[in-house]
């Protein structure tokens, strides 16, 4: 919906800089091309900025917004899907509204409930509230981390923004690589919250808030009770309940005063959303799909077109060529800000660019794989006990990256260590070959391993290994990899992405379903596919998953591999500073020969080098 930014000098008498806030706003203008707003508290210690992508209450939803007497102010990014119900509840308590916006509902919710307002919300959001009367600052990020919230706390002031570049735009700040985050990024192919690769910048975790008052900053989780697996329901009951919440969530997330569309593949997840949209839409739904040259056999354009025709949608598609991808790669890290090993990240941009000018909102099928066990690692965990004897193959030099990870993890009876290994795209042995001395020393301290151990042993829901894995996935790799890429790439085009399968009511049901109904003898996402039969033909429900395929393995063996080599040969490269150039070149050569699939680690290294030039060396800007 928007871009937010600001500063609170909570332990300093320094006045917030209006020019600094404007610089922050300008840095994220792409997130809000429809307008801007700025608020400076009378005391001078608080400044809020806002860039607006107008979706609900286009005429009067301007931000930052206050309550009637100007004692409470908010800058907010997102959509609250249950805001009408919350508004009705507040009116029965005497609150009155000047606008039809969900923003004003948040202000009045804070007046009524304070920080306890957070668990009443069903939506995607990141916001900051300033309570001038009580001198309290509250910031929060939604339950599954669909919307980003970054911050910098130097012990005296707190800067925040929807993007890292907003924080960097407010005056000078040291730009140092966080080596612990770099190790974690290379291990998992993303930097998990609260870490970023910049040592002085952090991000709120999904379902986390910050409260700052009386000169102290404290963080806490607000995301409700831990789900409890219900093992007593029959399959038919789950199927009916899921089918109902899918339709309800899609209807809720179609609330908009501007055109809305869908990012469509030819598969079951986005197809179900399209079907649900078509049932409640007053007109034809706009559907958008991209494919890649050299990958025509795995493109989903024709399958997506067939789905669009089935539900009377207006279909839009395009084929992305290697030169298009290369041109975008030259500037995409400026938007993404956090390198990931997700080589499909750029596809989100191409879909949003295709949709620009036609719609402002795109629904998609993201989240169903994490909720219902759609990835190979989920099947591996489900079957791990049966296949543990095959752990003897753990040292076999598999060329396929997924096979390497599976057999690297299988021998481990210890659940936490097994999870760590299946989540790691490189082994400890590979780190020894790729890391330079300083990074190797950081890695030995084991922060990456400890991150997974803590989630498995202390933070995950009780249940089977598969049930724990799904809970962890929905709060780590989903938000810090897939949703991050989706938000940054779509907002680069002024498009908001919405995710009905991550609606709180959908996840409330999904996370209480036993793992045995998510992977069964009939295959993965079993109960989900049963529920989707109410929306789609049987053949589409059971169609092979493709996703955003691109021929990155070929490109990295050619021109993009050469680009990576040119980066690492520079004396001021990230590789020269923290890695072993010979080890990295060995990976490139193994991939080029076809003896080992190194696509993910090489794409990640290429992204890291690009990030380093932009955010550390301050070169190669967009």
């Amino acid at each position: 919906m928007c871009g937010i930014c600001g500063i609170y000098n909570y332990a300093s008498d320094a006045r917030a800089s209006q020019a600094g806030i404007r610089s922050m706003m300008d840095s994220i203008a792409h997130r809000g091309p429809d307008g801007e707003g700025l608020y400076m508290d009378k005391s001078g210690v608080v400044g809020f900025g806002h860039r607006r992508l107008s979706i609900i209450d286009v005429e009067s939803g301007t931000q930052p917004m206050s309550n009637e007497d100007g004692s409470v102010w908010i800058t907010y990014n997102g959509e609250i899907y249950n805001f009408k119900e919350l508004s009705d509840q507040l009116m029965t308590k005497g609150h009155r509204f000047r606008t039809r916006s969900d923003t004003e509902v948040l202000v009045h919710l804070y007046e009524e409930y304070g920080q306890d307002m957070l668990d009443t919300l069903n939506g995607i959001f990141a916001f900051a509230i300033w309570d001038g009367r009580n001198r309290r600052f509250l910031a929060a990020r939604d339950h599954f981390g669909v919307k980003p919230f970054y911050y910098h706390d130097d012990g005296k002031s707190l800067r925040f923004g929807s993007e890292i570049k907003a924080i960097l735009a407010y005056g000078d700040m040291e730009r140092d690589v966080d080596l612990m985050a770099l190790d974690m990024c290379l291990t998992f192919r993303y930097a998990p919250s609260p870490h970023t690769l910049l040592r002085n910048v952090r991000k709120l975790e999904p379902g986390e808030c910050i409260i700052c008052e009386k000169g102290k900053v404290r963080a806490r989780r607000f995301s409700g009770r831990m789900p409890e697996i219900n093992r007593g329901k029959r399959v038919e009951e789950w199927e009916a309940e899921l089918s109902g919440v899918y339709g309800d969530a899609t209807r809720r997330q179609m609330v908009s005063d501007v055109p809305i569309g869908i990012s469509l593949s030819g598969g079951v997840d986005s197809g179900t959303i399209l079907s649900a949209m078509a049932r409640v839409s007053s007109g034809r739904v706009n559907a958008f799909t991209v494919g890649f040259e050299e990958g025509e056999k795995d493109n989903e354009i024709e399958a997506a077109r067939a789905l669009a025709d089935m539900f009377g949608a207006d279909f839009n598609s395009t084929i992305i060529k290697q030169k298009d991808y290369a041109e975008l790669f030259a500037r995409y890290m400026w938007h993404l800000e956090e390198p990931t090993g997700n080589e499909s990240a750029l596809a989100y941009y191409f879909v949003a660019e295709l949709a620009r000018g036609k719609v402002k909102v795109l629904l998609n099928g993201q989240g169903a794989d994490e909720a219902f066990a759609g990835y190979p690692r989920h099947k591996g965990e489900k079957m791990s006990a049966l296949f543990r004897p095959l752990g003897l193959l753990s040292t076999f030099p598999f060329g396929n990256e997924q096979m390497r990870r599976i057999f690297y993890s299988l021998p481990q009876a210890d659940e936490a260590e097994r999870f760590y290994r299946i989540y790691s795209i490189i082994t400890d042995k590979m780190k020894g070959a790729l890391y330079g001395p300083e990074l190797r020393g950081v890695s030995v301290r084991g922060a990456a391993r400890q991150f997974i151990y803590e989630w498995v042993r202390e933070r995950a829901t009780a249940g089977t290994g598969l049930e724990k894995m799904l809970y962890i996935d929905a709060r780590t790799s989903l938000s810090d990899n897939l949703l991050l890429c989706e938000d940054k790439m779509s907002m680069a085009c002024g498009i908001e992405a919405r995710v009905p399968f991550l609606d709180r009511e959908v996840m409330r049901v999904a996370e209480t379903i036993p793992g045995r109904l998510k992977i069964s003898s009939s295959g993965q996402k079993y109960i989900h596919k049963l529920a989707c039969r109410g929306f789609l033909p049987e053949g589409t429900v059971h169609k092979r998953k493709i996703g955003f395929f691109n021929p990155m393995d070929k490109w990295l063996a050619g021109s993009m591999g050469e680009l990576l080599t040119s980066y690492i040969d520079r004396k001021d490269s990230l590789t020269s500073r923290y890695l072993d150039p010979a080890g990295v070149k060995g990976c490139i050569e193994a991939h080029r020969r076809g003896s080992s699939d190194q696509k993910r680690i090489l794409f990640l290294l290429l992204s890291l080098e690009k990030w380093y030039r932009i955010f550390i060396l301050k070169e190669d800007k967009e």
Side-chain angles (χ1 to χ4, degrees), residues 85-151:
E85 297 91 330
L86 292 170
S87 175
D88 291 342
Q89 294 172 20
L90 289 165
M91 283 192 285
T92 65
K93 294 177 178 292
H95 293 265
R96 295 294 176 262
F97 293 88
R98 297 165 292 171
T99 71
R100 296 181 294 106
S101 70
D102 53 347
T103 309
E104 190 178 10
V105 171
L106 290 173
V107 173
H108 286 276
L109 276 172
Y110 176 80
E111 286 187 297
E112 186 66 32
Y113 301 114
Q115 61 184 283
D116 291 339
M117 66 181 280
L118 296 171
D119 210 42
T120 69
L121 304 177
N122 182 358
I124 55 177
F125 56 84
F127 61 76
I129 288 175
W130 171 242
D131 179 348
R133 181 177 293 115
N134 295 300
R135 314 302 292 172
R136 180 186 300 128
F137 174 92
L138 170 67
R141 186 183 185 195
D142 65 73
H143 299 78
F144 296 101
V146 180
K147 290 297 178 183
F149 188 99
Y150 297 95
Y151 64 96

Side-chain angles (χ1 to χ4, degrees), residues 329-497:
F329 186 84
R331 55 191 167 87
Y332 101 110
M333 189 52 65
W334 175 248
H335 287 292
L336 189 62
E337 302 184 312
E338 294 196 70
T340 74
N342 180 0
E343 67 278 1
S344 297
L346 280 75
Y348 299 128
Y349 179 93
F350 290 118
V351 172
E353 187 178 54
L354 185 64
R356 181 164 29 191
K358 298 183 178 70
V359 302
K360 284 190 175 182
V361 178
L362 283 176
L363 274 63
N364 64 69
Q366 197 77 266
D369 285 318
E370 287 77 11
F372 295 101
Y375 295 126
R377 65 175 176 268
H378 300 144
K379 188 173 183 180
E381 175 56 29
K382 171 79 172 179
M383 309 300 289
S384 62
L386 292 176
F387 289 110
R388 192 153 296 134
L390 294 177
L392 294 171
L393 297 174
S394 61
T395 59
F396 187 82
F398 288 101
N400 180 274
E401 183 256 350
Q402 287 186 340
M403 292 297 291
R404 287 200 306 268
R405 292 167 67 190
I406 288 172
F407 284 102
Y408 179 53
S409 65
L410 276 177
Q412 292 299 316
D414 180 84
E415 191 173 59
E417 177 63 17
R418 187 168 68 250
F419 277 39
Y420 168 74
R421 292 188 175 203
I422 197 63
Y423 285 131
S424 300
I425 65 168
I426 57 174
T427 66
D428 291 344
K429 182 179 179 180
M430 291 173 68
K431 288 183 180 183
L434 291 175
Y435 285 12
E438 188 177 6
L439 187 57
R440 197 177 302 133
V442 170
S443 177
V444 167
R445 293 199 287 271
R449 182 175 266 104
Q450 184 56 40
F451 172 78
I452 298 299
Y453 277 34
E454 181 180 333
W455 267 102
V456 174
R457 293 174 176 174
E458 301 175 22
R459 300 184 63 175
T461 185
T464 65
L466 175 62
E467 290 158 0
K468 289 182 181 179
M469 182 173 282
L470 298 178
Y471 181 88
I472 294 168
D473 285 359
R475 290 157 180 83
T476 55
S477 59
L478 178 60
S479 62
D480 289 321
N481 182 359
L482 299 178
L483 294 176
L484 178 145
C485 294
E486 189 172 80
D487 173 84
K488 297 290 184 65
M489 294 294 97
S490 61
M491 292 304 291
C493 299
I495 299 288
E496 178 178 274

Side-chain angles (χ1 to χ4, degrees), residues 151-170:
Y151 64 96
H152 163 69
D153 180 6
D154 65 5
K156 293 183 179 180
S157 65
L158 192 149
R159 306 180 201 176
F160 67 90
S162 295
E163 298 186 5
I164 293 172
K165 62 179 67 70
I167 295 171
L168 298 176
Y170 190 98

